[in-house]
Amino acid sequence: MDIELTYDMLGNRLRKIGDATIAYDQLGNRPCTLGTWALEYDRLGTRLRRVGDVQITYSRWAGLPLTVGRWSCEHSKLASRLLRIGPYELGYDHLGSRVRAIGALEIFYDRLGSRPHRVRLSGEVVSLSDDLLLALFLVLHWQEQASSAASRRE
C-alpha cells in the first residue's frame, strides 16, 4: 500500500500524510494538529511535548526523545541517531542522514533526495494504523527539525 505525503504549494510544509491533515499555527512555522490530534509544545515552543494524549519526554542535556507515550526510544551511542521508536526499528540511507524505513514502512524521497514524498507499507495491510502514523509523523518532524537546525548553523 502506498501513502502519499502532500506538501503546500511552495513545497516546504508537509500538509497531509495519507488522509491525515496537518494544520499549522498562525505564523505557519510549526504543526498544531495531525488529523484529530492536537500537538502541544514546551513553553519556548521548540520541542513537541504531546500528540493528542501521547506525552513525549526528552533527555535533559542532548534533547533526544526518550519516550513517546508507553514507547521508549533507542539511540546510537556515538551519533545520537534515533534507532528505534517503540516497536519500530529505523533504517537509514547509506550516508546515515535520512530515515528510509520505520518498521514495515519504506520512505521514498523526491528526485533531489531532500523531501519524502511517498511511503510504502509492506505486507497485506490496507491502512496506516494510528501507531504507525504517529511514529512516521514524529520521525519526519524530528528529521526536519534536525535539517533546519543544521542549515541555520551553516
Side-chain angles (χ1 to χ4, degrees):
M1 172 185 154
D2 282 357
I3 300 153
E4 289 297 317
L5 303 178
T6 307
Y7 291 82
D8 62 9
M9 288 186 146
L10 296 176
N12 57 357
R13 291 185 309 180
L14 182 61
R15 299 299 283 195
K16 288 180 85 174
I17 299 174
D19 294 331
T21 301
I22 300 168
Y24 286 79
D25 62 11
Q26 289 181 343
L27 297 175
N29 295 338
R30 63 178 192 200
C32 60
T33 63
L34 170 63
T36 59
W37 298 327
L39 307 179
E40 294 178 28
Y41 294 83
D42 62 10
R43 288 186 183 172
L44 298 175
T46 56
R47 284 194 297 197
L48 186 59
R49 287 294 195 175
R50 185 178 293 277
V51 178
D53 294 334
V54 177
Q55 184 173 345
I56 303 166
T57 62
Y58 295 88
S59 65
R60 174 174 260 168
W61 304 114
L64 301 171
L66 294 176
T67 63
V68 175
R70 66 186 187 285
W71 295 339
S72 61
C73 296
E74 182 182 330
H75 301 272
S76 64
K77 296 206 183 331
L78 298 176
S80 299
R81 183 171 50 169
L82 186 62
L83 299 175
R84 178 179 293 280
I85 179 169
Y88 305 111
E89 186 175 344
L90 276 63
Y92 288 84
D93 63 8
H94 63 283
L95 297 175
S97 58
R98 292 180 310 184
V99 175
R100 298 298 296 212
I102 304 169
L105 291 175
E106 185 178 2
I107 302 171
F108 297 90
Y109 288 80
D110 61 12
R111 288 184 184 209
L112 298 174
S114 61
R115 178 179 87 177
H117 70 94
R118 183 171 46 93
V119 177
R120 178 170 292 147
L121 184 56
S122 62
E124 297 180 19
V125 181
V126 293
S127 68
L128 189 63
S129 70
D130 285 348
D131 283 352
L132 272 174
L133 174 62
L134 176 61
L136 176 62
F137 172 77
L138 289 174
V139 168
L140 294 178
H141 177 72
W142 291 328
Q143 184 171 267
E144 174 60 30
Q145 281 187 321
S147 176
S148 293
S151 66
R152 282 193 303 269
R153 284 191 297 262
E154 294 175 350

